[in-house]
Amino acid sequence: MVKPAGETEGPTLSGAGHNLDVARCKDPATGVAAPHWQEQSLKPTNGSYRLILPLINDWEEIMTSVKEQEAIKKLMAFLQEWDSARKVARSRILDNFIKSNHGKTGPELELEFSQGASLFLARLTAWLRMIYMYGTCLGKLLKSIGIFLSAASGHRYLMEFLEIGGVLTLLEILGLSHLKEEDQRESVKLLQLVANAGRKYKELICESYGVQSIAEFLATSRSAEAQEEAQLLLESLGHGNPKYQNQVYKGLVAVLPCTSPRAQQLSLQTLRVMQQDVVGEAPGSVAEPLLSVLRSRHLEVQYEDPALLCLREPMLVYIQQAAAAKAIGILAKESAEVAEELIQLKVVHSLMVAVGNQDHVDSQRQASISLEYFVRTFPFVEEHMRMAVGDTLFQLFMDSPETWYTKMDSFHAEILASNRVDIPKEMERLQPTEAHLQSVGKYTSRWLRWKAEDNKPISCHTGILHKQLVLSPMQCRYANHPVFKAIQHLLFCLI
């Protein structure tokens, strides 16, 4: 039987030829005696006795304390090794750290460093501020810091990094042209981690003149990979950051005049996304840089630039297009000679292109109304348009010009947008209809007087006026007149 705990001799268990001195039990690994055994009852099992012992909390506490002390000693030794190491030794330490801790979470890093991971991060950031201008082990150092910043449930590491001015250091790295672009690329990746943490961190980067630094790096970098990382960072800063989104937009526009085709292409791609989802209407400041990019000899840049101009948002250029279509209709209805000159300037072709612009409804409506006047007034315009669009589409137009665009599908719009209507510049037979004479009656006498002054042949048959000679725009005596220059500008706006 088990003796009482107060007796001198420890409790024993006898049976089946075995004697167990419970009081003298020791851990075989450490040699430490098991403390505070409690008296237990013996239960018979097949004629023998089995001692049932509970979990020993004090024993576990001792073992945990021993392990913690060993881990702390290991951490202190590691930190002392880092503090006393030189460049080569620190490079080796960083290699081992990156290899063994890549992808770990915050709790896993704390377990690895015995709840002292922040001590190592502080040493990394301090060394970064000391050597970033010289590039010593910079790439490995930034990768090591990235392990902390990218760790899941490791937000505390990000806060510690920002508190010592980490963002400013990373931005300064981008501006040092003598550093390796691989190292600068790692700096951009760390800035991405900061930006992806939330809106206030994006604002912190922008407040630190980050947009300008990143845009300059995108424009001057020679590495395609580094440029792509910079583009992703600018795109991240441009979304979920309403306070500074216009600053990001202007920064991307500032990249367009650079000499790098790849940077231009990436900037245009990001501008297109921001234009659709964030900015809406394009500001006037973007026009000149975009026009300069149109002259690029690189196909990838030319492909992106028209895509930016053809957004589905109501851009300034589309508002101008609708206004131009409306103004042309008013001018044509007020003066027969102006209408004829407009025809010579290929206004029919331009109006049809505007009707095919499904990205702006008002352009389609105004262009349709103006086009109706030319079709109903000049039979040869009706003939050319019918041949260009086909009988079915043309009949839809004649039935209801103001709502014609609502009945068109993408196929019809493509026909109009890509039309090749080109009415000859010299027309021997120009036959306005009776409706035309009624609509421009008060201008007819002035038109006849103008013809008589220039000794141009005029003939009248059954009340219908025939003009037998039409001058080309370059030969027209009004070619340099401000009004006609304005008309030419309106036509340019249409296409």
Side-chain angles (χ1 to χ4, degrees):
M1 61 175 294
V2 178
K3 295 182 179 181
E7 296 184 8
T8 303
E9 185 178 358
T12 60
L13 175 66
S14 61
H18 299 285
N19 293 325
L20 175 62
D21 190 344
V22 179
R24 295 185 177 88
C25 286
K26 297 180 179 181
D27 181 69
T30 62
V32 178
H36 304 296
W37 289 92
Q38 298 178 354
E39 181 176 338
Q40 301 293 324
S41 60
L42 298 178
K43 295 183 179 181
T45 305
N46 298 328
S48 62
Y49 291 89
R50 179 170 60 86
L51 179 63
I52 302 177
L53 299 176
L55 293 176
I56 308 169
N57 294 331
D58 291 346
W59 174 257
E60 291 180 352
E61 291 176 1
I62 291 176
M63 292 304 300
T64 300
S65 178
V66 171
K67 291 179 181 179
E68 288 178 353
Q69 291 177 4
E70 292 178 352
I72 292 173
K73 289 179 180 179
K74 182 179 177 181
L75 172 62
M76 296 304 297
F78 174 78
L79 296 178
Q80 290 175 1
E81 180 185 4
W82 172 267
D83 293 339
S84 60
R86 296 185 179 274
K87 180 177 70 173
V88 176
R90 287 189 174 185
S91 177
R92 175 181 53 80
I93 294 174
L94 292 176
D95 285 333
N96 293 334
F97 174 77
I98 294 171
K99 182 178 180 181
S100 58
N101 295 282
H102 179 72
K104 284 189 176 181
T105 64
E108 289 173 339
L109 288 172
E110 290 297 329
L111 182 62
E112 177 71 19
F113 286 91
S114 303
Q115 311 304 316
S118 294
L119 297 175
F120 184 51
L121 176 60
R123 284 165 167 76
L124 294 179
T125 53
W127 197 40
L128 173 65
R129 298 179 66 183
M130 293 173 60
I131 57 89
Y132 74 90
M133 296 186 66
Y134 310 103
T136 305
C137 299
L138 184 57
K140 296 178 182 179
L141 184 55
L142 293 172
K143 287 182 179 178
S144 299
I145 295 175
I147 290 176
F148 286 98
L149 300 188
S150 63
S153 303
H155 186 71
R156 56 177 291 189
Y157 303 135
L158 175 62
M159 299 302 299
E160 292 169 1
F161 179 72
L162 298 179
E163 287 173 358
I164 56 94
V167 167
L168 289 174
T169 304
L170 295 177
L171 292 174
E172 289 179 14
I173 290 174
L174 298 183
L176 299 177
S177 57
H178 64 276
L179 296 179
K180 297 179 181 178
E181 289 203 351
E182 295 178 359
D183 297 342
Q184 292 176 315
R185 180 186 175 189
E186 292 298 328
S187 178
V188 174
K189 288 183 177 180
L190 293 189
L191 288 170
Q192 289 175 359
L193 293 173
V194 175
N196 293 337
R199 172 177 170 178
K200 65 178 181 179
Y201 302 103
K202 295 179 182 180
E203 293 180 351
L204 175 62
I205 295 175
C206 295
E207 290 168 357
S208 305
Y209 302 97
V211 174
Q212 180 180 354
S213 300
I214 300 164
E216 290 178 356
F217 176 70
L218 172 61
T220 59
S221 177
R222 297 179 298 275
S223 168
E225 293 79 7
Q227 289 176 326
E228 290 174 359
E229 296 293 345
Q231 179 214 15
L232 292 175
L233 177 55
L234 287 171
E235 186 174 343
S236 175
L237 293 176
H239 290 83
N241 186 17
K243 186 176 180 180
Y244 292 100
Q245 66 184 22
N246 286 336
Q247 185 183 109
V248 177
Y249 189 90
K250 293 177 181 178
L252 289 165
V253 172
V255 176
L256 296 180
C258 75
T259 57
S260 170
R262 181 59 176 165
Q264 291 176 332
Q265 181 187 17
L266 294 174
S267 179
L268 288 169
Q269 289 176 352
T270 311
L271 281 171
R272 184 173 71 248
V273 174
M274 289 190 64
Q275 190 74 44
Q276 292 175 328
D277 300 338
V278 180
V279 179
E281 183 176 317
S285 60
V286 76
E288 185 175 348
L290 284 177
L291 292 176
S292 65
V293 172
L294 280 173
R295 295 192 292 267
S296 175
R297 296 174 297 174
H298 301 276
L299 296 178
E300 65 274 16
V301 177
Q302 295 178 6
Y303 174 79
E304 295 295 341
D305 203 356
L308 182 61
L309 291 173
C310 297
L311 300 176
R312 293 190 176 276
E313 297 294 333
M315 293 175 55
L316 179 61
V317 64
Y318 288 163
I319 296 175
Q320 291 177 341
Q321 184 186 55
K326 183 177 181 179
I328 286 172
I330 294 173
L331 289 172
K333 292 175 183 178
E334 288 185 350
S335 173
E337 56 195 80
V338 170
E340 293 171 0
E341 293 295 341
L342 286 170
I343 292 174
Q344 291 300 311
L345 293 172
K346 300 183 181 180
V347 69
V348 177
H349 164 78
S350 301
L351 288 171
M352 290 175 67
V353 171
V355 176
N357 179 15
Q358 289 189 303
D359 293 327
H360 199 236
V361 172
D362 196 38
S363 291
Q364 291 181 296
R365 181 175 178 273
Q366 298 298 340
S368 295
I369 295 172
S370 298
L371 188 59
E372 178 195 12
Y373 171 78
F374 287 96
V375 170
R376 296 189 184 277
T377 304
F378 302 99
F380 61 90
V381 174
E382 177 182 352
E383 180 182 354
H384 280 79
M385 183 173 173
R386 185 190 296 272
M387 292 176 60
V389 302
D391 292 337
T392 302
L393 187 57
F394 181 79
Q395 190 59 46
L396 290 174
F397 166 71
M398 296 300 291
D399 291 342
S400 180
E402 291 191 9
T403 60
W404 182 36
Y405 62 91
T406 63
K407 302 173 184 177
M408 292 191 305
D409 54 25
S410 57
F411 177 72
H412 293 151
E414 180 63 26
I415 292 176
L416 290 164
S418 59
N419 81 88
R420 296 180 179 273
V421 173
D422 186 5
I423 298 176
K425 294 181 179 180
E426 295 184 3
M427 296 174 295
E428 295 182 357
R429 298 178 181 176
L430 196 63
Q431 297 181 346
T433 62
E434 295 288 350
H436 168 64
L437 292 177
Q438 295 175 2
S439 64
V440 297
K442 64 179 180 178
Y443 297 99
T444 302
S445 59
R446 188 175 63 183
W447 188 84
L448 290 170
R449 184 168 58 253
W450 175 69
K451 292 297 183 180
E453 291 174 355
D454 289 350
N455 297 318
K456 293 184 173 60
I458 305 292
S459 62
C460 295
H461 300 283
T462 62
I464 300 178
L465 181 63
H466 293 272
K467 180 180 176 185
Q468 296 183 339
L469 178 63
V470 178
L471 301 178
S472 67
M474 295 303 295
Q475 296 172 327
C476 179
R477 75 183 201 178
Y478 292 128
N480 294 321
H481 196 279
V483 174
F484 276 88
K485 288 184 177 180
I487 291 174
Q488 289 176 336
H489 175 70
L490 292 175
L491 291 171
F492 174 78
C493 290
L494 287 178
I495 56 176

